[in-house]
Amino acid sequence: MKIAIIGMGNMGSTFANGFINSRFIHPEHVFVYTRTQRTEEDFRNIHKLPYNYEFDKKITTCDIVILAIKPQNFSTAATELRSFLDQDQIIVSVMAGIGIDKIKEELRINKIVRSMPNLPTQIGKGMTVFTASDELDRKELFIIQNLINTTGKSVYVSEEEKIDAATAISGSGPAYIFYFMEAMIQSAKSYGFDTAQAELLVKQTISGALGLYEAHSLSTDEWIAKVSSKGGTTEQAIKYFTEQDIQQKIMEGIDRAKLQSERLGKN
């Protein structure tokens, strides 16, 4: 199997490294295309893959072409790329907001996979939600899912509109976690802990909480109840968060991320 990766930013490099590290694809069968002049010593290019700065006939030999470019650059890239594609190839998009029908129209190719990975794919702990056009058969979907799973875990959805929702939840989600962590770190520092101590307190707390959640079948509400003893300290914080409607505000922020993903697809 041969794969072309269009774009060598965070997601393009993550997929390239994941495929090769898992021994799913040989390095000589991964072709990288980028418009940004780079050196092979680029820290993201851990396998020293050669960079191609113009589309060429190597793309035509590939079974899968991954679009890891910014959505606003898609139409321009598609105009140059389409002449190197054929109907037997599978196009895998990691572009936010660009729908399957738009990709079909621009590239004139029918086998399209639309996916939304997140940043932890860089360390093999990513979450990717993907969907596909009807032209892919079960064997092809299986191959695509195996490829994606080299970077973490994945969920297939038959409804394309869930990709925009996944963008807002798992795609943007790590930033929400970091945002909450930063508030905890700043609180710790305000109480006199130095930066290293504050970061350790919060990092270990987040890691431990996730470990508990993964180790047992309790819901988040049940864990909150377990930590919040009546009349205790945790209860006061949770009571304040509830009074300030923090949960609803977070959900409204996530909804704005989803709406922005939908807007990107209309531009």
Side-chain angles (χ1 to χ4, degrees):
M1 181 181 293
K2 295 181 180 179
I3 293 179
I5 299 177
I6 314 301
M8 194 60 171
N10 287 329
M11 286 303 149
S13 58
T14 294
F15 276 117
N17 296 331
F19 299 160
I20 296 170
N21 290 344
S22 66
R23 301 183 185 278
F24 203 94
I25 305 291
H26 294 293
E28 61 268 26
H29 292 157
V30 177
F31 306 114
V32 172
Y33 294 83
T34 178
R35 290 303 173 89
T36 304
Q37 294 290 322
R38 301 182 185 278
T39 66
E40 292 183 23
E41 286 69 39
D42 185 335
F43 74 96
R44 290 177 294 197
N45 186 11
I46 61 176
H47 295 284
K48 305 297 187 238
L49 299 173
Y51 293 115
N52 300 281
Y53 299 106
E54 293 184 356
F55 298 141
D56 57 32
K57 291 184 178 180
K58 290 194 295 290
I59 295 173
T60 308
T61 70
C62 292
D63 304 282
I64 297 171
V65 177
I66 295 177
L67 299 177
I69 57 179
K70 294 178 181 178
Q72 57 267 35
N73 296 336
F74 172 59
S75 291
T76 300
T79 301
E80 301 175 24
L81 179 61
R82 68 170 70 105
S83 63
F84 296 99
L85 303 176
D86 67 58
Q87 292 299 330
D88 291 328
Q89 292 174 306
I90 299 173
I91 307 298
V92 178
S93 168
V94 297
M95 301 181 295
I98 307 295
I100 287 175
D101 287 343
K102 177 71 171 176
I103 298 171
K104 281 187 174 184
E105 177 187 345
E106 294 276 359
L107 293 181
R108 300 167 191 168
I109 295 294
N110 291 323
K111 294 182 179 181
I112 309 295
V113 173
R114 185 180 170 198
S115 67
M116 177 43 60
N118 64 8
L119 203 56
T121 55
Q122 293 184 355
I123 58 170
K125 294 187 176 182
M127 181 69 242
T128 300
V129 178
F130 73 102
T131 191
S133 61
D134 294 337
E135 287 80 4
L136 274 82
D137 60 32
R138 292 178 66 86
K139 179 182 177 182
E140 289 169 328
L141 283 175
F142 181 73
I143 291 171
I144 294 299
Q145 187 152 32
N146 281 340
L147 276 173
I148 291 172
N149 285 348
T150 64
T151 64
K153 295 184 178 181
S154 63
V155 171
Y156 169 79
V157 295
S158 57
E159 308 94 335
E160 186 180 356
E161 59 268 21
K162 286 185 178 177
I163 298 296
D164 290 317
T167 302
I169 299 293
S170 55
S172 301
Y176 312 152
I177 305 301
F178 296 139
Y179 188 87
F180 189 73
M181 288 176 67
E182 180 60 20
M184 293 176 68
I185 289 169
Q186 292 303 321
S187 289
K189 290 170 70 173
S190 74
Y191 301 145
F193 291 99
D194 63 34
T195 298
Q197 291 171 329
E199 290 178 349
L200 178 60
L201 276 170
V202 175
K203 180 169 63 175
Q204 188 63 18
T205 299
I206 296 290
S207 176
L210 181 59
L212 280 172
Y213 184 71
E214 291 180 333
H216 301 277
S217 59
L218 298 179
S219 69
T220 49
D221 282 339
E222 288 171 322
W223 277 117
I224 290 171
K226 273 187 169 294
V227 181
S228 305
S229 56
K230 192 163 182 64
T233 58
T234 309
E235 183 186 59
Q236 287 301 304
I238 298 298
K239 180 181 178 182
Y240 179 78
F241 294 156
T242 302
E243 290 171 348
Q244 297 300 310
D245 213 8
I246 299 299
Q247 188 177 85
Q248 181 61 34
K249 295 298 183 185
I250 292 172
M251 292 171 65
E252 289 172 3
I254 292 171
D255 195 48
R256 290 195 179 193
K258 177 177 177 291
L259 290 172
Q260 179 63 11
S261 179
E262 293 169 350
R263 289 191 196 101
L264 286 171
K266 295 175 182 177
N267 293 336

